[in-house]
Structures are given as C-alpha cells and as structure tokens.
Amino acid sequence: MMIDTLIKYCLVWTVASLSASAVAVTQHELNQLGRTLDVQYQVLDNIEQTACESEQISGHCFSAQIRLQTEDVALIKGTVIHFSHITPIAAAQSNAVSISHINGDHHEMRITRTIPANTTETIRIAAPAWHAARSDIMPNYYLVADALAPVTIDSTVQQTEPGSGLPVNSHAGSWTKPNQYRRNADDVLPLQTSEAQFAALPEQWPVVTANRVVPKVRQRQDSLQKRHLTGIKLSSDAAHLAPWLPLVEQLGLPVGEQQETISIVIAGQQFSGPEHYALRIEEQAITLTAASDKAAGYGLLTLAQLRDPQTGQVPLTTITDAPRFAFRGVHFDIARSFTGYDSITMLLEQMAVLKLNKLHLHVSDDEGWRLEIPGLPELTEVGAYRCHDESEQRCLMPQLGSGPHRDAGVNGYLSVQQYKNLLQLANQWGIEVIPSLDMPGHSRAAIKAMEARYNRLMAENKPEQAEMYLLTEFSDKSVYSSIQHYSDNTLNPCLPSTFRFIDKLLAELKVMHQQAGVPLTTYHIGADETAGAWTQSAACKSSGIAPHDIAKTFIREIIKLGNSKGLVMAGWSDGMMEALPGLPESNVYVNIWQTLPAGASKTVSQLAASNTPAVLSLPDVLYFDFPYQNDPLEPGYYWGAKSVSLKRVFGFMPQYLGQHAELWTDRMGQPYDDEPTQNATPVLGMQAQLWTEITRDQRSVEYMLFPRLLAFAERAWHQAEWEGKVSQAEFLPALNRDFSEFTQVVAKRHYPRLVEADINVRIPPPGYQIDAQHQLELRAAMPNLKLEYSADAMTWHTYTGAVSADNIHFVRARLINSPHTSRIIAVEP
Ligand code: TNX
C-alpha cells in the first residue's frame, strides 16, 4: 500500500474514532439523507488550464463542480461521502469539505463543517485528463458515519434511459459547450450528435431483399433460378451437429422432422483448412461438404441466411467459403463488472452465429476475481465482491461506482461448474475459451484476497499454510501508481509464493478443463501496464535482478512455465514486446493494443518479421467499450478514440494498417503519419475487446457489442476486394457500396433476430434538421426504422415528412414492428 494511502486510512480511522461523538447522526437520519441529498456533478472546462496551473497539477487537467444540496436533513460534520472518480482529484475548493484520493478511483469527501438543512454547497474540483462524456461520471456515491451502515445517495443511482434501456447517470450535468465536450485544445473532432449527423444520412434508404451472408462468403455463384426450402433436418449420422440447429432457426430457417434432409459430408482431406466448407443448392438436393464438424455448422449458418424468410426461396448456388484468419476472437472483461453467467452464454451463442472462434475471458483484474479456484476460497469470497469494508477482509473496497453493498449487480463470480458448462457450450460451436488471469500488474483482487487468506490462516495458527500463496511482501514500501491509480496492484515476481500461486492456478484450470472434456490449450497472462513496483522489495534486491528487468524476467518465466506444460501463452503487446526478444523458441501470440497513430502498424510489422503470431486488438477500432459516436451522451471510455462506429469497424483493413492514415485521424481529430503497407501483412487474426469499467450489466454489454460485432465478424472472416486500395479511385465507392449492402442486411435480417433473441441491440438515433422555415426533417441512420417525434416524450407521432418544429422537443427511431427504440434525442430549437 502506498505510504500516503496508508496514512490516509490511518487518518480515516483516527478521525472516525475521535469524532465518534461529533457525528451525531442516527441510522434513520443517515438513511433519510441518502434519500434527500441531491448530488450533481457538472464538468466546467476541459480546456482552460488555470486551475491546474494554480494547483500545480502536472499534465493536462479539467475542472468540474460537485454540488451538494440538502433538503430537511443536514449533512453533519464528520460524515464522509465515498465516491469513484476516474482520475485522482487533485484540488477541491470548499470551506465545508475536503476530498482525498484513496486508491484506484476511490475518493473520500469528508464534511469538515456541517452543511445545514436546505443549503447548497458547491465544490470546485480539478483533476487530471478530461471528462468529456456523461458516462465518465461515476454513480453510487455513499454516506458513511461512524459505525452506521453505509447508505447510498439515491440521487447518484443510475436511471434506466428510455429507448436505449441503458442505465445512465442522472446526476451528471450537461455537455453543451465546446470546452465541455472537447477534451483539450487540440481536440478538433467534429461532434456526431443527431443534428450534426443529418447531412451525411441518405434521404431514403434503398429497399433491397438482401440475402447476403454475414460474414460474407468467399466465393458464391448464384444462378438466376431459385427454389423453395421450407426447412431442414439432419440425417442420423449428422445428429451430433444438433447444437447448431437453434442458431439456424434463429437465422430464420425452420428445423423439424418433416423437413428436407441436408446431405452432409465431412471430408477434411478435401480442404486446405479446418474451417473450410462448400455448399451446393440444387433443385433436388442441398449438399454440404465440410472440413470438420465446425465447418459443417458454419455451412448450415450460411444456408439459413440464403433463404428469404418472406418467400421461403433460396437461390440455386454454389458456395465455397473459408475464413481469412484462423483467430477471430472476442475479449470479454468479466472482472471489472461481472455481468453474469447468462451474459457469457449470450455472447458465445452470438459468436457462433458470426463464425467467431476464440473467447478471451478476462477473469481477473484489480477490481475483481471472477472464477472459483478450488482450495483458494478467498479469491472469490473476498475478491469477487466490492463493498464498504476498509479492512478488505470481507470484500474489496468499492471502485468504478459499485456502491457500498455486497449485493451490487457488478459483484459475483463463475463457479467451477458454471465455468465447465461454458467450456462445453463453447466447444460444441468450436469456440476456444482462453482464460486470462492478468498479471503481474492488474492483480489487486488476487493480492487482497490472498492477504485475507493469510490473515485467516494466521489466526488459525497455521503460518506455513498462510504464507503458501501470500502475494504481499509486507516490508516492501515501494511507492508506485498504476495507470488506474492503484498503489498496490502488482504481483511480486521475487517471492516464491507468487510462483506457487500461479502454478496452483494453472493446475486447477487444467483440471477444470479436463473434467469438462475440453483441454486447456491457451492461457493469456496479461503482462500489460506494469508500473514502478518492487523498487524497495527486499526479495527483489536479493534476487540480483535489476528493477527494470524484473517484469520481463517474470513474463519470460511464466511463458516458459506454460510452454513446458504444453500451453500456448499469450499476452498484451507492451509486456510481450519487452519479454519476447529473450525467448526465441517460445510458443506464444501477442495482442497488439497500440492505436494506429501510436504506431500499431510498426509493431505488427516487427512481429511479422520475427514470425511471432499477432492478434490485432487496436483500441481505436476494436475496443467496443468505446462510444459508437462522438456525442457526449453516447456511453463509453474514449481514451483511444471518441467514435468506433459500425462503419469504422466495417472499413478496417487489418492487413493494410498503414493505409488508415489517409482515411482516419487521431483521437483528437488531427491527421497522423504512417507508411502505406505495400503487401498484406500476415497476422494470426483479430479480436474485439469489451472492457467493462462502465458497462455494468448485460443490457449494456449487448448495446456495446451489437451491431458492432457483426461488422467485426465481417472483417475477421472476409477480405473485401477494396481493402488496401485507398489510393485507387474505385476505393471509396466500392467500400460505400459494400457497407450499404451490409447495413441493409444487418438492419433487415439481423436486427429483428437479435431483438427476437432479447438482445439490446443499439438502434441508431435519427439525424435531424430544423430549417429556416422552422420545419423539422428527420433521416434514418439505417433502413428498417420508423422515425418518431414528440412534444413530451410520452405521446409519439410517426414521421412521414417535414413537419412544423413548433412544439416538437424529442425525436427517436424505432425498429419497425418492435418496441425497441433509439435513445430519445432532445431537439434543440
Ligand atoms: C486499457 S488494453 C487496458 C484495460 C482497460 C481498457 C479500457 C489493456 C491491456 N489495458 O485495462 O480496461 O484500456 O479501455
């Protein structure tokens, strides 16, 4: 623990005990305060830097104000408001409160002078970086007074937004001025609000009856003839392909005993890769030849999409199909927020529909440990929960706005049985689960859980057992701060118990996989964002390894350990690029998570040159925790890009990274330099990332993933003919045509099926314009939408053409024949 954090905790205890009589609040009053205290957070300015300069905050900073308004209950001196704030608040101007950063994003606001009933106290704060979006503000502030039970402040609880179905921060103010929605003076990125989008949208979307397959097939030769197909059934020798049938039905092709039998031949030797297949639809027969069971499943998914659900017709056609990349992955962070077992099964099912084949499951991080490990109960009993417990013996202290209670929605973990079920579910669709227990950084949950275990066993007088898996060297007073501002989140590679712990994890994982009948083949070690630990570690000093070599030595050790157990070892590029040069023979792959302007293309070329398999995880196009569009009300972190739109993902050219510099800008909207790639760069594949710091429930997970995952699957499976040809005149028209066709099939076929599967797919809001005659015009951002307007957001009218804007205050888009709508957009007169 960082010294000043320790001091802060000590202060908290002393002040709390000294002021026990000063905080003369009853539980009843505290509860009432929780109901009535109004907390509002308003960003003032991301660009103006005087606050930073006067407070000597190094680097860029922003100013904001937190307004506390009491009703009939006073906020008594000595009460503490606990809250999350992404970056550490460095200065707070107020005569009534003082704010201190504790650890990670956890802050305390101590009331130093009673704020009487019916009073407003406004606190000006300054903190590093910027807050340019509503989702930056953290929810669930809570009150603590002495030994009373902590109480959540209701005004900071998220409310479900009509339309999007997302929980949003209603205590967050507005982002109407450029100095609020731009992140700094360089930020020239145009806003993509509904008003700004209008001009770029077509007046009318063409009506097509698309039976394009998503992802697009490699070769397809339709004849002009069509035939009828009512439904399919599997012959008895193909019965083991049954797990694919629900997906086939979801895609609109009926399945049943009375239906037509598909002839399926598995013939690995006929194909050059295990996921290849050929499909032939003739008048009399449908034949599927496939390299493997999985490829046969893929063929069935393709067949389903060829059928027009209205007419039941399929084209007579010959298709040969194969993926461009062997690795088509999704990274799902279940550590920051645990959105539940069902959110993982939902993802697996949709991955299978989209022919994706790797699930990188991010099981642990600073904020949570999400997999039961037999023999180490504290990992999940303590490490899978965030609640108010300053000793952190029952749970981790709240982070990311999780609030004080153990039953918070973001808490929880996968039991051994659930994990095994997931492995089997994934396996039946040919999806490999790649578990990741992030280390040596991002390990706070494990470290704290193992401290709790140590304390338990010491109290039971079992010192040997206690020390067995202890990850803390109590005498190590190294002072550091991780990217997410933790002072105590890094494993110590110089302790033998660290390796015992990792060995134990790998052993238990192997057993779970074995028991599930799905052997563990790949393990992801994280290896990212290790910052400054161990400088004062006695164990490291005596190891003789120079401090700056410790991280890479550790990563090498773990790679060797895993490889010796027959595992492919994976890691994030920052740690891996450091470690790999010393390990020529290793069996690894690397996730590149540099942005394009930060030099991703060079890292990829470097890896290609050393024959190291690379998986593209570029934040500025493949981080699906980033917003869909540059609108302060669209949720998402945005450190690497302010808009990861459907079109951006679709238009990504994974093997021609250099070319994007001619099309895209950096995160501030500024041009950047890169060298066009001459030949397609070999990469193992690509991976979409969903980190979940602020994606806290399944509805939000679905919103962030869909529809972007469809565009991702398209690029991971299919190489478009326009890729890489940026300098050719045909490039843009070809990309636009392809995207328009894709959008149409996504809107017409996939939106309805996703909604039918109860998935909270994002409906894009309409563009709007109010002209000089005060007429309101609306345009849809995709086909298959009905547009609506309203005076009060209660009664809605269908838009049929320009209409007087008088008394219209809200607009939205609705998926035709569904209750599903876009966010409600407030119309600015
Ligand atoms: C970067 S990518 C991270 C994660 C965050 C993510 C948020 C990587 C290896 N580290 O820890 O969750 O950004 O976008």
Side-chain angles (χ1 to χ4, degrees):
M1 188 183 285
M2 213 166 87
I3 300 274
D4 70 306
T5 312
L6 244 185
I7 293 171
K8 273 175 215 158
Y9 270 128
C10 294
L11 268 180
V12 170
W13 289 328
T14 359
V15 175
S17 45
L18 285 179
S19 55
S21 53
V23 193
V25 187
T26 64
Q27 187 72 55
H28 177 72
E29 283 166 332
L30 201 66
N31 295 348
Q32 248 185 320
L33 194 58
R35 280 193 295 274
T36 55
L37 179 65
D38 189 40
V39 176
Q40 277 284 322
Y41 185 108
Q42 175 64 58
V43 168
L44 298 175
D45 205 308
N46 288 319
I47 297 184
E48 168 62 52
Q49 294 292 296
T50 29
C52 317
E53 282 150 20
S54 68
E55 298 296 339
Q56 299 182 340
I57 301 171
S58 62
H60 192 86
C61 93
F62 72 100
S63 57
Q65 79 187 16
I66 302 176
R67 200 200 60 198
L68 308 175
Q69 198 172 331
T70 55
E71 272 185 20
D72 43 9
V73 187
L75 190 46
I76 305 285
K77 177 178 170 182
T79 311
V80 180
I81 296 177
H82 289 252
F83 66 105
S84 287
H85 192 274
I86 303 176
T87 58
I89 295 176
Q93 275 174 17
S94 159
N95 296 324
V97 312
S98 70
I99 294 181
S100 31
H101 170 237
I102 305 299
N103 203 4
D105 73 6
H106 193 130
H107 286 71
E108 284 181 6
M109 180 190 292
R110 178 166 297 278
I111 310 304
T112 52
R113 201 187 66 196
T114 294
I115 302 172
N118 298 308
T119 311
T120 303
E121 173 69 20
T122 303
I123 306 131
R124 255 185 99 108
I125 60 168
W130 40 68
H131 268 27
R134 177 170 62 181
S135 59
D136 287 342
I137 315 307
M138 293 286 169
N140 299 320
Y141 288 35
Y142 64 91
L143 296 158
V144 170
D146 298 342
L148 300 180
V151 174
T152 306
I153 301 174
D154 283 354
S155 60
T156 64
V157 173
Q158 293 190 311
Q159 306 293 321
T160 304
E161 184 179 48
S164 71
L166 299 186
V168 298
N169 298 312
S170 39
H171 61 303
S174 57
W175 278 261
T176 47
K177 299 188 202 123
N179 281 22
Q180 294 168 326
Y181 59 71
R182 291 166 66 203
R183 50 173 132 193
N184 67 16
D186 292 337
D187 182 353
V188 294
L189 208 65
L191 271 194
Q192 295 168 321
T193 54
S194 284
E195 208 172 358
Q197 298 271 81
F198 179 82
L201 294 172
E203 261 173 71
Q204 200 85 79
W205 282 89
V207 183
V208 289
T209 46
N211 66 2
R212 173 177 170 146
V213 178
V214 175
K216 196 172 182 180
V217 297
R218 186 173 281 188
Q219 270 173 359
R220 170 170 173 182
Q221 203 96 56
D222 283 15
S223 82
L224 289 175
Q225 285 154 296
K226 290 183 192 292
R227 56 159 283 195
H228 205 76
L229 176 64
T230 323
I232 61 162
K233 83 169 193 201
L234 299 173
S235 60
S236 55
D237 58 341
H240 59 288
L241 295 176
W244 295 88
L245 295 181
L247 311 184
V248 166
E249 285 186 295
Q250 193 183 116
L251 286 164
L253 176 58
V255 174
E257 271 315 300
Q258 308 311 316
Q259 307 288 6
E260 181 173 337
T261 306
I262 307 290
S263 152
I264 300 177
V265 181
I266 308 291
Q269 72 292 349
Q270 283 185 29
F271 296 93
S272 59
E275 297 177 306
H276 296 219
Y277 68 91
L279 175 68
R280 203 178 163 91
I281 306 181
E282 294 165 296
E283 194 59 64
Q284 299 308 326
I286 297 179
T287 323
L288 179 56
T289 318
S292 64
D293 288 344
K294 173 172 32 166
Y298 288 169
L300 294 174
L301 299 175
T302 294
L303 174 62
Q305 293 175 69
L306 293 172
R307 178 174 176 273
D308 182 332
Q310 259 85 52
T311 63
Q313 301 256 293
V314 287
L316 301 190
T317 188
T318 307
I319 285 174
T320 51
D321 198 13
R324 74 189 300 183
F325 295 135
F327 192 114
R328 306 177 301 281
V330 177
H331 167 277
F332 187 22
D333 172 7
I334 59 168
R336 267 55 177 273
S337 297
F338 183 72
T339 53
Y341 176 77
D342 290 350
S343 64
I344 309 173
T345 57
M346 175 280 300
L347 176 57
L348 284 170
E349 180 174 304
Q350 293 309 319
M351 285 176 65
V353 171
L354 296 171
K355 303 180 176 127
L356 301 174
N357 64 0
K358 307 279 176 182
L359 176 64
H360 174 174
L361 201 57
H362 187 72
V363 175
S364 73
D365 210 300
D366 297 323
E367 297 83 1
W369 183 283
R370 307 300 181 181
L371 176 60
E372 179 188 3
I373 301 291
L376 298 177
E378 282 83 359
L379 276 177
T380 40
E381 279 168 19
V382 177
Y385 293 89
R386 301 199 294 267
C387 68
H388 186 76
D389 168 22
E390 281 173 328
S391 72
E392 298 196 299
Q393 296 302 292
R394 278 191 306 118
C395 54
L396 308 172
M397 277 293 271
Q399 294 286 339
L400 300 166
S402 51
H405 302 305
R406 201 177 158 91
D407 63 1
V410 293
N411 289 339
Y413 62 91
L414 294 173
S415 67
V416 169
Q417 190 54 49
Q418 285 176 321
Y419 184 68
K420 290 197 271 191
N421 292 351
L422 289 174
L423 294 179
Q424 287 167 347
L425 188 68
N427 190 53
Q428 67 177 11
W429 292 318
I431 299 170
E432 181 188 3
V433 176
I434 302 168
S436 172
L437 302 155
D438 208 338
M439 48 188 70
H442 290 278
S443 294
R444 187 172 195 276
I447 293 171
K448 291 291 143 188
M450 289 302 94
E451 272 178 30
R453 176 183 184 277
Y454 171 87
N455 292 339
R456 169 174 63 84
L457 290 164
M458 288 302 276
E460 291 170 16
N461 213 0
K462 296 174 183 160
E464 216 170 287
Q465 281 188 43
E467 277 166 27
M468 183 87 122
Y469 301 118
L470 181 63
L471 301 172
T472 309
E473 185 185 16
F474 291 114
S475 63
D476 178 2
K477 303 290 182 234
S478 307
V479 174
Y480 62 95
S481 178
S482 74
I483 306 285
Q484 284 97 1
H485 316 288
Y486 290 99
S487 54
D488 51 358
N489 77 338
T490 310
L491 295 187
N492 187 328
C494 310
L495 300 177
S497 48
T498 298
F499 287 89
R500 277 198 294 270
F501 176 75
I502 296 170
D503 229 12
K504 164 86 175 156
L505 293 181
L506 285 177
E508 293 296 343
L509 271 174
K510 278 199 116 161
V511 171
M512 287 183 229
H513 279 252
Q514 247 147 26
Q515 288 174 349
V518 185
L520 178 68
T521 46
T522 311
Y523 178 79
H524 198 286
I525 55 177
D528 57 314
E529 301 184 324
T530 313
W534 322 306
T535 50
Q536 304 301 316
S537 154
C540 286
K541 280 186 185 154
S542 65
S543 77
I545 309 171
H548 63 270
D549 284 338
I550 294 172
K552 62 180 171 218
T553 309
F554 172 78
I555 296 166
R556 284 180 194 145
E557 291 297 310
I558 303 298
I559 292 173
K560 281 194 260 178
L561 178 74
N563 281 175
S564 75
K565 293 179 194 285
L567 302 175
V568 177
M569 299 297 276
W572 298 104
S573 47
D574 52 335
M576 293 296 266
M577 296 306 281
E578 288 269 308
L580 287 181
L583 265 191
E585 295 305 319
S586 54
N587 188 4
V588 297
Y589 73 82
V590 178
N591 287 100
I592 293 135
W593 71 286
Q594 258 169 322
T595 60
L596 287 162
S601 67
K602 285 186 192 60
T603 307
V604 175
S605 309
Q606 224 174 309
L607 287 167
S610 66
N611 275 325
T612 310
V615 173
L616 303 180
S617 293
L618 316 193
D620 37 350
V621 57
L622 300 174
Y623 271 30
F624 291 178
D625 58 320
F626 288 3
Y628 279 88
Q629 55 190 68
N630 182 18
D631 177 335
L633 302 185
E634 193 63 47
Y637 270 10
Y638 50 87
W639 61 265
K642 204 77 197 287
S643 114
V644 172
S645 65
L646 188 64
K647 183 156 190 193
R648 189 173 172 99
V649 181
F650 185 88
F652 180 51
M653 301 176 288
Q655 295 181 276
Y656 296 91
L657 296 183
Q659 267 82 330
H660 296 90
E662 293 173 49
L663 302 165
W664 297 354
T665 63
D666 72 7
R667 62 184 184 161
M668 301 296 178
Q670 307 279 1
Y672 69 94
D673 285 331
D674 207 342
E675 277 186 30
T677 316
Q678 296 305 328
N679 303 309
T681 315
V683 294
L684 179 62
M686 53 197 262
Q687 181 170 281
Q689 276 61 223
L690 182 59
W691 301 95
T692 55
E693 284 94 336
I694 55 167
T695 303
R696 300 180 175 91
D697 63 2
Q698 186 171 336
R699 293 321 253 171
S700 309
V701 164
E702 292 162 354
Y703 182 95
M704 298 312 269
L705 288 176
F706 301 102
R708 284 189 285 209
L709 203 62
L710 282 77
F712 170 79
E714 178 82 5
R715 281 290 71 77
W717 181 275
H718 180 72
Q719 176 161 5
E721 27 82 27
W722 44 260
E723 283 185 46
K725 300 180 182 159
V726 174
S727 55
Q728 296 177 16
E730 221 338 70
F731 169 78
L732 263 187
L735 166 59
N736 288 339
R737 253 193 327 272
D738 197 16
F739 183 62
S740 165
E741 195 184 288
F742 169 82
T743 311
Q744 287 161 31
V745 74
V746 164
K748 283 194 84 110
R749 293 285 302 254
H750 294 271
Y751 265 73
R753 81 158 170 89
L754 289 165
V755 168
E756 182 68 31
D758 196 25
I759 286 178
N760 186 34
V761 56
R762 175 182 187 265
I763 311 279
Y768 80 82
Q769 169 179 278
I770 297 176
D771 67 13
Q773 284 72 48
H774 209 56
Q775 292 280 301
L776 172 82
E777 273 183 76
L778 298 182
R779 285 184 187 170
M782 66 175 210
N784 209 20
L785 296 179
K786 184 170 123 185
L787 307 181
E788 298 177 337
Y789 58 90
S790 169
D792 54 8
M794 310 278 280
T795 311
W796 291 89
H797 308 279
T798 304
Y799 177 82
T800 51
V803 50
S804 163
D806 289 347
N807 211 21
I808 295 180
H809 301 298
F810 304 98
V811 297
R812 70 181 183 188
R814 171 190 295 282
L815 186 68
I816 287 179
N817 295 330
S818 104
H820 230 69
T821 77
S822 71
R823 282 195 284 125
I824 295 175
I825 303 296
V827 171
E828 304 297 331

